[in-house]
Amino acid sequence: MKPLKVLVSGNTLFSLWKFRRSFMLDLVRAGHEVHASAGEKDDAFETGSLLTEMQAAGVVFHALPLSRSGLNPVSDLRYFFAYLKLCKRVKPDVVFNYTIKPVIWGSLAAALSNIGRVYSMITGLGYAYTGTAPKHRILQTVIGALYRMALPFNRKVVFQNSDDRNLFLKRSYVAPSQTALVAGSGIEITEFPFSPLPTSRPFRFVCVARMLKDKGILELIEACDLLKAQGLPFECLLVGGTDANNPASISEETLLAAQAAGKVRWLGRQSKIAEILSEAHVFVLPSYREGTPRSTLEALSIGRPVLSTDAPGCRETVNSSNGVLVPVQDASALAQAMKTFMEFSQEQLEHMGTASRAMAEKTFDVAKVNGDLFELMNLKRT
């Protein structure tokens, strides 16, 4: 099997290198020529160093005029024609897209460029699918029509949880024979090594996520308020930046006010996530819906009990041994579950942490996920 020219496309450089680095490095090690594309404007910190790392690893990066949010036809068509031009210039043998706009416009551009091997990964359904208000339904209608137009040009559409796959099948976005399922984006278990649970107090919860309403951040703040009112000694750290481009973004003023009131500590975006997780007793993510949350996989690998919601993408990361699931958008249930964790013995918490690490190794190891992707894309691997 000869080496190929592979184009991997996402929405931001930060996302490419955080979530697809291991996959692209495996491609390079297998002798493939690897190209990557993302938006030319990226609000990620350390963008320059990330680009340097990517280029040093042998990946050729192409910046495209991609607006991550909104459905501006002019902006989207500008991205589509830029992607089409990139395909004509690079002439990739294989295209692998993820996130909504690269999946839709990248699939169409690749098809018009006569690229037969097109693959897409659905890493989550985004803001449009986290509510039932009229604006959500309108967005779903528009995005659904675009999916029906673009996804038939894919050999395989890869999902990270069965709920998303079932929804796409139910709405005829994709044919059953096109679908495949993998365990999220995977996690580099060596980069997030198992760490013993802290024995010190106060009890510490950590949430790593973008500060968005649909990540359940407001419910988490409310739950902390309920527990603080009971005089319980604990900390809850929020780790992640705001996202002005997302309609569900929570303002800095709201987060700073919650911090000033002693409900939570907001650390903003941080780079040393493994160190922060190692100092936590429990990881919490009360999200409304996910593909498979990368931050939870990091917590699993570190060996932390998980408190999450019984929602698509979240329920896959919790079983009866390693954590607790609560209903979506239920601050009272979330507070009660947090209180229950604080009442567990150190031995019980350690048992749950060990179960989390075992889940990371068995199911979510990135080496396994990459192997599954290489197999379904019929790519040569070392």
Side-chain angles (χ1 to χ4, degrees):
M1 190 180 298
K2 69 175 184 177
L4 300 171
K5 193 179 294 186
V6 183
L7 172 61
V8 180
S9 297
N11 56 5
T12 68
L13 171 61
F14 179 78
S15 169
L16 274 172
W17 203 234
K18 181 176 177 66
F19 299 117
R20 304 288 160 246
R21 178 180 59 180
S22 178
F23 178 63
M24 290 191 289
L25 291 179
D26 277 359
L27 287 169
V28 171
R29 280 191 286 266
H32 300 294
E33 181 181 326
V34 184
H35 294 255
S37 79
E40 57 192 354
K41 293 182 179 179
D42 195 336
D43 60 358
F45 66 118
E46 298 181 348
T47 298
S49 63
L50 296 180
L51 179 57
T52 300
E53 287 180 25
M54 182 183 290
Q55 293 171 334
V59 178
V60 182
F61 179 70
H62 306 271
L64 300 180
L66 169 62
S67 173
R68 290 193 293 120
S69 62
L71 291 172
N72 183 318
V74 174
S75 175
D76 287 353
L77 285 175
R78 185 181 300 117
Y79 171 64
F80 165 70
F81 284 114
Y83 200 117
L84 183 63
K85 185 177 180 181
L86 176 63
C87 287
K88 297 291 187 180
R89 184 172 73 251
V90 173
K91 294 181 173 59
D93 301 295
V94 180
V95 168
F96 178 72
N97 300 307
Y98 72 101
T99 64
I100 295 174
K101 292 191 178 183
V103 165
I104 292 171
W105 300 113
S107 295
L108 292 171
L112 285 176
S113 301
N114 296 316
I115 299 169
R117 296 175 63 175
V118 183
Y119 302 86
S120 290
M121 177 180 279
I122 307 302
T123 54
L125 301 189
Y127 169 78
Y129 291 84
T130 58
T132 58
K135 61 181 178 181
H136 292 95
R137 292 197 295 269
I138 292 170
L139 283 172
Q140 288 181 34
T141 299
V142 175
I143 293 171
L146 292 171
Y147 274 140
R148 290 189 191 96
M149 181 171 60
L151 292 182
F153 295 109
N154 285 258
R155 285 196 178 184
K156 287 290 182 182
V157 179
V158 186
F159 294 87
Q160 296 190 340
N161 66 69
S162 57
D163 292 277
D164 288 353
R165 178 167 66 176
N166 291 340
L167 186 148
F168 272 53
L169 290 171
K170 181 180 180 180
R171 298 191 179 186
S172 302
Y173 295 170
V174 65
S177 59
Q178 285 181 282
T179 65
L181 194 65
V182 298
S185 299
I187 184 68
E188 296 87 347
I189 59 175
T190 57
E191 293 187 15
F192 292 86
F194 179 83
S195 174
L197 277 165
T199 57
S200 60
R201 290 296 187 269
F203 200 94
R204 177 175 289 177
F205 296 92
V206 170
C207 174
V208 180
R210 286 181 295 159
M211 296 295 105
L212 304 176
K213 294 174 185 177
D214 52 30
K215 297 294 183 182
I217 301 301
L218 295 181
E219 287 82 6
L220 180 54
I221 291 173
E222 183 181 347
C224 290
D225 190 30
L226 293 171
L227 295 174
K228 293 288 184 179
Q230 299 177 37
L232 296 174
F234 72 97
E235 288 184 327
C236 183
L237 307 186
L238 303 182
V239 182
T242 58
D243 186 351
N245 292 316
N246 193 304
S249 182
I250 299 171
S251 69
E252 289 189 10
E253 290 77 14
T254 298
L255 296 166
L256 292 173
Q259 178 170 271
K263 301 174 185 178
V264 296
R265 285 174 55 199
W266 177 44
L267 303 185
R269 182 175 272 168
Q270 299 289 321
S271 58
K272 298 181 180 179
I273 299 300
E275 292 182 16
I276 294 172
L277 289 173
S278 69
E279 297 172 356
H281 294 87
V282 172
F283 176 80
V284 55
L285 181 67
S287 179
Y288 299 178
R289 189 180 193 115
E290 297 283 338
T292 299
R294 165 74 179 211
S295 59
T296 307
L297 301 189
E298 293 170 350
L300 293 177
S301 188
I302 291 288
R304 291 298 172 267
V306 173
L307 170 55
S308 196
T309 45
D310 190 10
C314 294
R315 62 174 68 101
E316 282 79 6
T317 63
V318 177
N319 58 32
S320 59
S321 299
N322 81 313
V324 174
L325 294 173
V326 296
V328 175
Q329 293 183 268
D330 191 334
S332 296
L334 182 59
Q336 183 56 52
M338 293 171 72
K339 184 177 180 180
T340 299
F341 271 109
M342 286 186 273
E343 294 170 346
F344 284 147
S345 67
Q346 184 74 9
E347 184 179 6
Q348 287 174 300
L349 291 171
E350 289 174 351
H351 176 77
M352 297 172 82
T354 300
S356 284
R357 174 65 183 191
M359 180 185 289
E361 293 176 347
K362 179 180 179 181
T363 304
F364 296 110
D365 185 349
V366 74
K368 177 184 181 302
V369 174
N370 287 349
D372 291 342
L373 288 174
F374 270 68
E375 182 176 354
L376 69 89
M377 295 168 69
N378 194 28
L379 294 169
K380 179 179 77 71
R381 192 177 189 187
T382 52

